[in-house]
PDB file of all heavy atoms in Angstrom:
ATOM      1  N   THR A   9     116.730  88.829  88.907  1.00 71.00           N
ATOM      2  CA  THR A   9     116.516  87.464  89.361  1.00 71.00           C
ATOM      3  C   THR A   9     115.028  87.160  89.304  1.00 71.00           C
ATOM      4  O   THR A   9     114.194  88.059  89.107  1.00 71.00           O
ATOM      5  CB  THR A   9     117.028  87.301  90.810  1.00 71.00           C
ATOM      6  OG1 THR A   9     116.255  88.159  91.650  1.00 71.00           O
ATOM      7  CG2 THR A   9     118.498  87.643  90.923  1.00 71.00           C
ATOM      8  N   ALA A  14     109.271  88.730  90.064  1.00 73.00           N
ATOM      9  CA  ALA A  14     108.016  88.491  90.780  1.00 73.00           C
ATOM     10  C   ALA A  14     107.613  89.717  91.597  1.00 73.00           C
ATOM     11  O   ALA A  14     106.434  90.054  91.676  1.00 73.00           O
ATOM     12  CB  ALA A  14     108.165  87.279  91.696  1.00 73.00           C
ATOM     13  N   ASN A  16     108.246  92.869  90.907  1.00 77.00           N
ATOM     14  CA  ASN A  16     107.837  93.970  90.040  1.00 77.00           C
ATOM     15  C   ASN A  16     106.605  93.664  89.204  1.00 77.00           C
ATOM     16  O   ASN A  16     105.998  94.572  88.646  1.00 77.00           O
ATOM     17  CB  ASN A  16     108.975  94.354  89.103  1.00 77.00           C
ATOM     18  CG  ASN A  16     110.105  95.001  89.852  1.00 77.00           C
ATOM     19  OD1 ASN A  16     109.875  95.857  90.693  1.00 77.00           O
ATOM     20  ND2 ASN A  16     111.317  94.581  89.572  1.00 77.00           N
ATOM     21  N   LEU A  23     100.281  99.454  86.610  1.00 87.00           N
ATOM     22  CA  LEU A  23     100.539 100.634  85.770  1.00 87.00           C
ATOM     23  C   LEU A  23      99.932 100.460  84.384  1.00 87.00           C
ATOM     24  O   LEU A  23      99.350 101.390  83.828  1.00 87.00           O
ATOM     25  CB  LEU A  23     102.040 100.889  85.667  1.00 87.00           C
ATOM     26  CG  LEU A  23     102.707 101.439  86.917  1.00 87.00           C
ATOM     27  CD1 LEU A  23     104.214 101.363  86.795  1.00 87.00           C
ATOM     28  CD2 LEU A  23     102.254 102.860  87.169  1.00 87.00           C
ATOM     29  N   LEU A  31      93.429 106.342  79.247  1.00 85.00           N
ATOM     30  CA  LEU A  31      93.229 106.682  77.839  1.00 85.00           C
ATOM     31  C   LEU A  31      91.750 106.825  77.491  1.00 85.00           C
ATOM     32  O   LEU A  31      91.404 107.398  76.459  1.00 85.00           O
ATOM     33  CB  LEU A  31      93.895 105.643  76.935  1.00 85.00           C
ATOM     34  CG  LEU A  31      95.418 105.733  76.864  1.00 85.00           C
ATOM     35  CD1 LEU A  31      95.979 104.539  76.121  1.00 85.00           C
ATOM     36  CD2 LEU A  31      95.861 107.028  76.228  1.00 85.00           C
ATOM     37  N   ARG A  43      92.062 106.500  70.208  1.00 87.00           N
ATOM     38  CA  ARG A  43      92.132 105.781  71.494  1.00 87.00           C
ATOM     39  C   ARG A  43      92.600 104.350  71.296  1.00 87.00           C
ATOM     40  O   ARG A  43      93.457 103.848  72.024  1.00 87.00           O
ATOM     41  CB  ARG A  43      90.772 105.763  72.180  1.00 87.00           C
ATOM     42  CG  ARG A  43      90.395 107.044  72.833  1.00 87.00           C
ATOM     43  CD  ARG A  43      89.045 106.933  73.536  1.00 87.00           C
ATOM     44  NE  ARG A  43      88.429 108.230  73.674  1.00 87.00           N
ATOM     45  CZ  ARG A  43      88.770 109.124  74.595  1.00 87.00           C
ATOM     46  NH1 ARG A  43      89.697 108.837  75.461  1.00 87.00           N
ATOM     47  NH2 ARG A  43      88.177 110.301  74.641  1.00 87.00           N
ATOM     48  N   LYS A  46      96.346 104.279  70.449  1.00 84.00           N
ATOM     49  CA  LYS A  46      97.205 104.516  71.614  1.00 84.00           C
ATOM     50  C   LYS A  46      97.202 103.303  72.548  1.00 84.00           C
ATOM     51  O   LYS A  46      98.223 102.941  73.126  1.00 84.00           O
ATOM     52  CB  LYS A  46      96.775 105.767  72.379  1.00 84.00           C
ATOM     53  CG  LYS A  46      97.016 107.041  71.611  1.00 84.00           C
ATOM     54  CD  LYS A  46      98.483 107.201  71.266  1.00 84.00           C
ATOM     55  CE  LYS A  46      98.711 108.417  70.402  1.00 84.00           C
ATOM     56  NZ  LYS A  46     100.063 108.456  69.850  1.00 84.00           N
ATOM     57  N   LYS A  47      96.043 102.667  72.691  1.00 88.00           N
ATOM     58  CA  LYS A  47      95.984 101.465  73.529  1.00 88.00           C
ATOM     59  C   LYS A  47      96.825 100.346  72.925  1.00 88.00           C
ATOM     60  O   LYS A  47      97.497  99.603  73.651  1.00 88.00           O
ATOM     61  CB  LYS A  47      94.535 101.005  73.693  1.00 88.00           C
ATOM     62  CG  LYS A  47      93.742 101.870  74.630  1.00 88.00           C
ATOM     63  CD  LYS A  47      92.335 101.352  74.774  1.00 88.00           C
ATOM     64  CE  LYS A  47      91.521 102.212  75.702  1.00 88.00           C
ATOM     65  NZ  LYS A  47      90.174 101.683  75.906  1.00 88.00           N
ATOM     66  N   SER A  58     107.733  93.211  79.063  1.00 72.00           N
ATOM     67  CA  SER A  58     107.570  92.042  79.935  1.00 72.00           C
ATOM     68  C   SER A  58     108.652  90.997  79.698  1.00 72.00           C
ATOM     69  O   SER A  58     108.912  90.171  80.564  1.00 72.00           O
ATOM     70  CB  SER A  58     106.193  91.413  79.729  1.00 72.00           C
ATOM     71  OG  SER A  58     106.113  90.813  78.455  1.00 72.00           O
ATOM     72  N   ASP A  59     109.295  91.036  78.536  1.00 73.00           N
ATOM     73  CA  ASP A  59     110.386  90.103  78.244  1.00 73.00           C
ATOM     74  C   ASP A  59     111.736  90.614  78.737  1.00 73.00           C
ATOM     75  O   ASP A  59     112.734  89.919  78.640  1.00 73.00           O
ATOM     76  CB  ASP A  59     110.484  89.858  76.736  1.00 73.00           C
ATOM     77  CG  ASP A  59     109.288  89.106  76.198  1.00 73.00           C
ATOM     78  OD1 ASP A  59     108.648  88.384  76.986  1.00 73.00           O
ATOM     79  OD2 ASP A  59     109.001  89.233  74.991  1.00 73.00           O
ATOM     80  N   GLU A  60     111.733  91.820  79.268  1.00 72.00           N
ATOM     81  CA  GLU A  60     112.985  92.462  79.688  1.00 72.00           C
ATOM     82  C   GLU A  60     113.543  91.781  80.936  1.00 72.00           C
ATOM     83  O   GLU A  60     112.822  91.473  81.862  1.00 72.00           O
ATOM     84  CB  GLU A  60     112.721  93.938  79.957  1.00 72.00           C
ATOM     85  CG  GLU A  60     113.957  94.752  80.143  1.00 72.00           C
ATOM     86  CD  GLU A  60     114.896  94.688  78.959  1.00 72.00           C
ATOM     87  OE1 GLU A  60     114.475  95.001  77.842  1.00 72.00           O
ATOM     88  OE2 GLU A  60     116.056  94.305  79.188  1.00 72.00           O
ATOM     89  N   ASN A  65     116.556  98.393  82.969  1.00 77.00           N
ATOM     90  CA  ASN A  65     115.492  98.621  81.991  1.00 77.00           C
ATOM     91  C   ASN A  65     114.109  98.445  82.609  1.00 77.00           C
ATOM     92  O   ASN A  65     113.171  99.151  82.247  1.00 77.00           O
ATOM     93  CB  ASN A  65     115.661  97.710  80.780  1.00 77.00           C
ATOM     94  CG  ASN A  65     116.836  98.112  79.923  1.00 77.00           C
ATOM     95  OD1 ASN A  65     117.388  99.195  80.074  1.00 77.00           O
ATOM     96  ND2 ASN A  65     117.245  97.239  79.030  1.00 77.00           N
ATOM     97  N   ALA A  67     113.406  99.090  85.743  1.00 82.00           N
ATOM     98  CA  ALA A  67     113.215 100.313  86.538  1.00 82.00           C
ATOM     99  C   ALA A  67     112.854 101.493  85.639  1.00 82.00           C
ATOM    100  O   ALA A  67     111.989 102.303  85.987  1.00 82.00           O
ATOM    101  CB  ALA A  67     114.476 100.621  87.334  1.00 82.00           C
ATOM    102  N   ILE A  70     109.176 101.199  84.572  1.00 85.00           N
ATOM    103  CA  ILE A  70     108.282 101.600  85.672  1.00 85.00           C
ATOM    104  C   ILE A  70     108.280 103.118  85.843  1.00 85.00           C
ATOM    105  O   ILE A  70     107.228 103.732  85.964  1.00 85.00           O
ATOM    106  CB  ILE A  70     108.682 100.887  86.981  1.00 85.00           C
ATOM    107  CG1 ILE A  70     108.357  99.387  86.868  1.00 85.00           C
ATOM    108  CG2 ILE A  70     107.967 101.491  88.179  1.00 85.00           C
ATOM    109  CD1 ILE A  70     108.896  98.551  88.001  1.00 85.00           C
ATOM    110  N   SER A  78     100.913 109.935  85.402  1.00 82.00           N
ATOM    111  CA  SER A  78     100.677 111.220  86.082  1.00 82.00           C
ATOM    112  C   SER A  78     100.249 112.284  85.079  1.00 82.00           C
ATOM    113  O   SER A  78      99.369 113.103  85.370  1.00 82.00           O
ATOM    114  CB  SER A  78     101.921 111.671  86.842  1.00 82.00           C
ATOM    115  OG  SER A  78     102.942 112.072  85.966  1.00 82.00           O
ATOM    116  N   ARG A  79     100.836 112.289  83.896  1.00 79.00           N
ATOM    117  CA  ARG A  79     100.448 113.258  82.866  1.00 79.00           C
ATOM    118  C   ARG A  79      99.032 112.983  82.369  1.00 79.00           C
ATOM    119  O   ARG A  79      98.257 113.907  82.150  1.00 79.00           O
ATOM    120  CB  ARG A  79     101.425 113.232  81.689  1.00 79.00           C
ATOM    121  CG  ARG A  79     102.867 113.495  82.070  1.00 79.00           C
ATOM    122  CD  ARG A  79     103.059 114.808  82.752  1.00 79.00           C
ATOM    123  NE  ARG A  79     103.106 115.853  81.762  1.00 79.00           N
ATOM    124  CZ  ARG A  79     103.373 117.113  82.009  1.00 79.00           C
ATOM    125  NH1 ARG A  79     103.618 117.487  83.242  1.00 79.00           N
ATOM    126  NH2 ARG A  79     103.384 117.998  81.066  1.00 79.00           N
ATOM    127  N   LEU A  80      98.696 111.719  82.184  1.00 79.00           N
ATOM    128  CA  LEU A  80      97.352 111.372  81.714  1.00 79.00           C
ATOM    129  C   LEU A  80      96.289 111.728  82.745  1.00 79.00           C
ATOM    130  O   LEU A  80      95.216 112.211  82.400  1.00 79.00           O
ATOM    131  CB  LEU A  80      97.270 109.883  81.372  1.00 79.00           C
ATOM    132  CG  LEU A  80      97.956 109.458  80.086  1.00 79.00           C
ATOM    133  CD1 LEU A  80      98.001 107.940  80.011  1.00 79.00           C
ATOM    134  CD2 LEU A  80      97.255 110.033  78.876  1.00 79.00           C
ATOM    135  N   LYS A  81      96.591 111.482  84.022  1.00 77.00           N
ATOM    136  CA  LYS A  81      95.616 111.789  85.068  1.00 77.00           C
ATOM    137  C   LYS A  81      95.363 113.284  85.198  1.00 77.00           C
ATOM    138  O   LYS A  81      94.300 113.694  85.615  1.00 77.00           O
ATOM    139  CB  LYS A  81      96.064 111.202  86.405  1.00 77.00           C
ATOM    140  CG  LYS A  81      95.849 109.714  86.475  1.00 77.00           C
ATOM    141  CD  LYS A  81      96.140 109.180  87.841  1.00 77.00           C
ATOM    142  CE  LYS A  81      95.794 107.710  87.901  1.00 77.00           C
ATOM    143  NZ  LYS A  81      96.030 107.147  89.220  1.00 77.00           N
ATOM    144  N   ASN A  82      96.354 114.084  84.841  1.00 74.00           N
ATOM    145  CA  ASN A  82      96.175 115.534  84.857  1.00 74.00           C
ATOM    146  C   ASN A  82      95.467 116.031  83.602  1.00 74.00           C
ATOM    147  O   ASN A  82      95.202 117.216  83.484  1.00 74.00           O
ATOM    148  CB  ASN A  82      97.524 116.247  85.003  1.00 74.00           C
ATOM    149  CG  ASN A  82      98.110 116.056  86.374  1.00 74.00           C
ATOM    150  OD1 ASN A  82      97.385 115.910  87.343  1.00 74.00           O
ATOM    151  ND2 ASN A  82      99.428 116.046  86.463  1.00 74.00           N
ATOM    152  N   GLU A  86      99.920 115.260  76.013  1.00 59.00           N
ATOM    153  CA  GLU A  86     101.289 115.235  75.511  1.00 59.00           C
ATOM    154  C   GLU A  86     101.674 113.788  75.191  1.00 59.00           C
ATOM    155  O   GLU A  86     102.795 113.374  75.415  1.00 59.00           O
ATOM    156  CB  GLU A  86     102.233 115.821  76.552  1.00 59.00           C
ATOM    157  CG  GLU A  86     101.933 117.260  76.889  1.00 59.00           C
ATOM    158  CD  GLU A  86     102.755 117.762  78.050  1.00 59.00           C
ATOM    159  OE1 GLU A  86     103.585 117.008  78.578  1.00 59.00           O
ATOM    160  OE2 GLU A  86     102.562 118.913  78.423  1.00 59.00           O
ATOM    161  N   ILE A  90     105.179 111.422  75.418  1.00 60.00           N
ATOM    162  CA  ILE A  90     105.208 110.299  76.354  1.00 60.00           C
ATOM    163  C   ILE A  90     105.514 108.996  75.630  1.00 60.00           C
ATOM    164  O   ILE A  90     106.351 108.207  76.056  1.00 60.00           O
ATOM    165  CB  ILE A  90     103.880 110.210  77.125  1.00 60.00           C
ATOM    166  CG1 ILE A  90     103.740 111.432  78.047  1.00 60.00           C
ATOM    167  CG2 ILE A  90     103.786 108.919  77.927  1.00 60.00           C
ATOM    168  CD1 ILE A  90     102.366 111.614  78.627  1.00 60.00           C
ATOM    169  N   GLY A  96     111.916 105.169  73.258  1.00 60.00           N
ATOM    170  CA  GLY A  96     113.328 105.275  73.587  1.00 60.00           C
ATOM    171  C   GLY A  96     113.776 104.147  74.493  1.00 60.00           C
ATOM    172  O   GLY A  96     114.883 103.632  74.358  1.00 60.00           O
ATOM    173  N   LEU A  97     112.909 103.727  75.406  1.00 58.00           N
ATOM    174  CA  LEU A  97     113.240 102.601  76.275  1.00 58.00           C
ATOM    175  C   LEU A  97     113.393 101.323  75.476  1.00 58.00           C
ATOM    176  O   LEU A  97     114.290 100.523  75.713  1.00 58.00           O
ATOM    177  CB  LEU A  97     112.134 102.390  77.320  1.00 58.00           C
ATOM    178  CG  LEU A  97     112.101 103.354  78.481  1.00 58.00           C
ATOM    179  CD1 LEU A  97     110.885 103.084  79.341  1.00 58.00           C
ATOM    180  CD2 LEU A  97     113.358 103.247  79.300  1.00 58.00           C
ATOM    181  N   GLY A 100     116.578 101.047  73.521  1.00 55.00           N
ATOM    182  CA  GLY A 100     117.783 100.956  74.329  1.00 55.00           C
ATOM    183  C   GLY A 100     118.419 102.304  74.605  1.00 55.00           C
ATOM    184  O   GLY A 100     119.521 102.396  75.090  1.00 55.00           O
TER     185      GLY A 100
END
Side-chain angles (χ1 to χ4, degrees):
T9 63
N16 291 315
L23 287 168
L31 286 171
R43 283 182 204 282
K46 292 301 175 191
K47 285 181 180 183
S58 69
D59 293 335
E60 191 58 56
N65 289 347
I70 290 171
S78 71
R79 303 302 280 186
L80 286 170
K81 284 187 175 181
N82 290 330
E86 299 172 2
I90 293 167
L97 284 175

